[in-house]
Amino acid sequence: MKIKIFVTGGTIDNLDYTSKTKAPKKQKSLIPDLLEQSRITADYSVEKVLFKDSKFISDKDRRLIFKKCKKCKENKIIITHGTTTMTITSKFLGKSGLGKTIVLVGSAVPANKYKSDALFNLGFAFAAVQVLPKGTYIAMNGKIFSWKNVRKHLKTGFFEKEK
């Protein structure tokens, strides 16, 4: 079983900027180093699709992510994504019914910062993508959510089922 990882940026990759500051042009993704550190033995490949703070991911970007998911030969996909708009992207992909297992993952604290949740969340996403049935999910902080009923609680920063 081969797993495709699509990198889109977000806090997990230490991307946080405002509309007044510019996105980094040549910043290297932290994801390959996290995967090496995790000693993940699953067969996977990594592709950088975008590199944005998720506040600035547009529907055009979501269409690009969708196209990448559709065209890749792998049926198990992990997408690293910022948490601000992760639920929007999960719904966009979930409604498409691609017939693949897609897991979106991110972190509240950048991967290169003290007490980051990135390493755990990424490992958890690897486990989740291998056992979940076809569909689109968010895997964060030890919980799995379907695209159909998930939201980010703005006060706590945790994901939860929509009420």
Side-chain angles (χ1 to χ4, degrees):
M1 165 187 336
K2 188 158 184 160
I3 300 167
K4 185 68 171 190
I5 302 164
F6 289 124
V7 172
T8 67
T11 298
I12 195 168
D13 251 324
N14 199 24
L15 286 177
D16 184 16
Y17 53 90
T18 67
S19 59
K20 293 179 182 171
T21 60
K22 293 193 177 197
K25 297 247 185 228
K26 294 188 179 185
Q27 184 175 343
K28 179 184 163 201
S29 174
L30 302 170
I31 302 305
D33 290 340
L34 285 178
L35 295 168
E36 185 179 332
Q37 182 181 350
S38 299
R39 298 174 45 112
I40 292 172
T41 59
D43 188 12
Y44 67 85
S45 63
V46 180
E47 181 179 340
K48 192 171 167 182
V49 177
L50 308 168
F51 211 57
K52 291 184 170 185
D53 179 321
S54 72
K55 292 187 293 277
F56 302 106
I57 289 182
S58 65
D59 281 346
K60 180 181 176 185
D61 297 326
R62 289 183 186 89
R63 285 190 293 277
L64 175 61
I65 295 166
F66 168 79
K67 286 177 188 173
K68 291 287 189 176
C69 290
K70 186 175 181 179
K71 286 184 180 179
C72 79
K73 62 184 179 200
E74 295 85 358
N75 289 318
K76 304 285 186 179
I77 301 167
I78 294 171
I79 301 170
T80 63
H81 197 290
T83 62
T84 301
T85 61
M86 186 184 288
T87 59
I88 297 168
T89 301
S90 74
K91 286 173 178 31
F92 187 95
L93 295 172
K95 289 176 183 176
S96 70
L98 280 173
K100 298 183 180 197
T101 305
I102 301 171
V103 175
L104 286 85
V105 66
S107 67
V109 178
N112 59 354
K113 303 295 183 195
Y114 180 65
K115 291 192 176 184
S116 175
D117 53 336
L119 195 59
F120 173 81
N121 288 344
L122 188 58
F124 182 63
F126 258 90
V129 79
Q130 292 178 76
V131 299
L132 288 169
K134 294 174 183 174
T136 303
Y137 306 90
I138 289 177
M140 288 287 295
N141 307 109
K143 291 185 178 180
I144 298 169
F145 302 93
S146 168
W147 67 271
K148 295 177 185 176
N149 65 345
V150 62
R151 71 180 185 130
K152 182 178 175 184
H153 191 283
L154 297 177
K155 288 185 181 178
T156 67
F158 289 103
F159 286 81
E160 61 188 20
K161 285 186 177 182
E162 284 182 317
K163 297 179 183 188

